[in-house]
Amino acid sequence: MTTIEVRESGYGAEVDLTVHQAASLTSSKIVSVAPIEAGRWLVAGTGKVGVAQIDDITLRVTPKLPIGRIFYLLGFGRRFEWRDDLVPYDTATDLVHVLADAFVRQADRALGRGVIQGYVERDDELAVVRGRMRYREQVTRRFGQITPLLVRYDDFTIDVAENQLVRAAAKILRTVPGLDPIVTRMLRAIMQRLDDVSDLISGQPLPTWRASRRNAHYDTVLWFASMVLKHRSVDLPAGAVEVNGFIIDMATVFEDFVTAALTDS
């Protein structure tokens, strides 16, 4: 297993790589890779930060800015204020590990006060009537058959948008290599507690939710979840190398900050 650590920008690091490893790093688009001599390559940051597992390489890209500054940029325009008490080490340089630590702490606090439940409309096929019959579909799809009955009903469940977002963020952060074992266990516990919550479908819009007294205690963890879900992606062509982990494009963060600042002005 090879571990490479570089800064977000700058000269980079000279490392020994095979041709296959160099090609995998290049395909990831997280860093730039240039040959120096036989078996020796220059790996440099391209404005992205985070941690990723690429084949047998663990890649860590550290940011130029302090962690607090980055969270200020991320939260600007969303009325979120970064506080030092959200994590115990605001001077850390590993953004993703700080984000994961803060997320699990806020998730544990929110879920500890009660897992949100709500009514969700379900379409189902049952042997008995529950809720409302879907008469048109019963006639056109079942051609007069009595059972199963096509029904629509409101189900009081934890499978609501807020819990779907929290579970999806925990699932993404679990792919980050080298997390603190305590954080890893807490992520696993979060997913187990939300085991009856549906997984989000890749490529589909994220579920929406509306702030209310019912979900007020989820406010901070939902902010962290939205950061994870928004900045998780690495654009790769079809058939490219698989990348597991969490990467933030700092150019996108700065663009969002400028957009929010100009909008406020």
Side-chain angles (χ1 to χ4, degrees):
M1 183 68 68
T2 302
T3 299
I4 300 174
E5 183 168 337
V6 296
R7 295 276 289 176
E8 171 192 342
S9 61
Y11 177 74
E14 297 183 12
V15 294
D16 295 326
L17 299 171
T18 65
V19 173
H20 175 73
Q21 288 175 323
S24 296
L25 285 175
T26 301
S27 297
S28 74
K29 298 183 178 180
I30 301 173
V31 291
S32 65
V33 182
I36 299 175
E37 56 186 41
R40 193 76 173 166
W41 303 78
L42 177 65
V43 180
T46 58
K48 298 179 176 67
V49 300
V51 184
Q53 188 72 42
I54 307 166
D55 286 343
D56 62 343
I57 300 172
T58 299
L59 177 65
R60 301 180 184 279
V61 187
T62 57
K64 297 182 299 182
L65 295 175
I67 299 299
R69 283 287 176 83
I70 295 176
F71 277 104
Y72 171 78
L73 294 176
L74 288 170
F76 191 88
R78 298 176 179 86
R79 303 300 179 256
F80 177 86
E81 183 179 353
W82 174 257
R83 304 191 314 273
D84 293 346
D85 63 332
L86 290 177
V87 291
Y89 43 87
D90 65 309
T91 58
T93 58
D94 196 324
L95 172 65
V96 179
H97 288 195
V98 171
L99 179 63
D101 186 285
F103 171 80
V104 297
R105 290 171 185 273
Q106 295 304 315
D108 183 63
R109 182 179 301 175
L111 297 178
R113 293 179 57 185
V115 178
I116 289 177
Q117 291 182 276
Y119 286 100
V120 177
E121 190 173 71
R122 307 285 194 194
D123 287 340
D124 208 345
E125 301 180 6
L126 302 176
V128 296
V129 176
R130 180 180 180 184
R132 305 174 298 281
M133 284 281 296
R134 292 145 56 195
Y135 291 106
R136 183 186 298 274
E137 294 174 75
Q138 186 75 34
V139 172
T140 57
R141 290 173 54 185
R142 293 291 180 244
F143 304 106
Q145 294 182 13
I146 298 177
T147 58
L149 300 173
L150 302 182
V151 298
R152 179 173 291 124
Y153 60 92
D154 293 328
D155 187 21
F156 192 64
T157 175
I158 67 170
D159 192 14
V160 293
E162 296 92 333
N163 292 326
Q164 291 171 0
L165 294 171
V166 172
R167 189 177 194 278
K171 187 175 182 179
I172 290 170
L173 289 174
R174 281 194 65 188
T175 68
V176 174
L179 284 179
D180 184 285
I182 296 177
V183 173
T184 301
R185 286 197 298 270
M186 291 181 71
L187 287 169
R188 188 184 305 117
I190 291 167
M191 294 189 64
Q192 290 174 345
R193 189 157 190 179
L194 300 176
D195 193 48
D196 292 332
V197 175
S198 302
D199 287 326
L200 299 185
I201 300 175
S202 179
Q204 294 294 316
L206 296 177
T208 58
W209 58 281
R210 181 177 299 175
S212 66
R213 291 179 59 186
R214 179 180 65 91
N215 58 25
H217 62 292
Y218 269 49
D219 186 59
T220 303
V221 70
L222 284 173
W223 183 87
F224 280 106
S226 70
M227 289 301 98
V228 173
L229 294 169
K230 179 177 180 180
H231 295 284
R232 69 185 179 198
S233 62
V234 178
D235 295 327
L236 296 175
V241 64
E242 182 178 357
V243 177
N244 292 318
F246 183 74
I247 298 294
I248 292 179
D249 188 335
M250 291 304 297
T252 301
V253 173
F254 185 70
E255 288 168 4
D256 290 345
F257 165 74
V258 172
T259 300
L262 290 176
T263 299
D264 282 354
S265 296

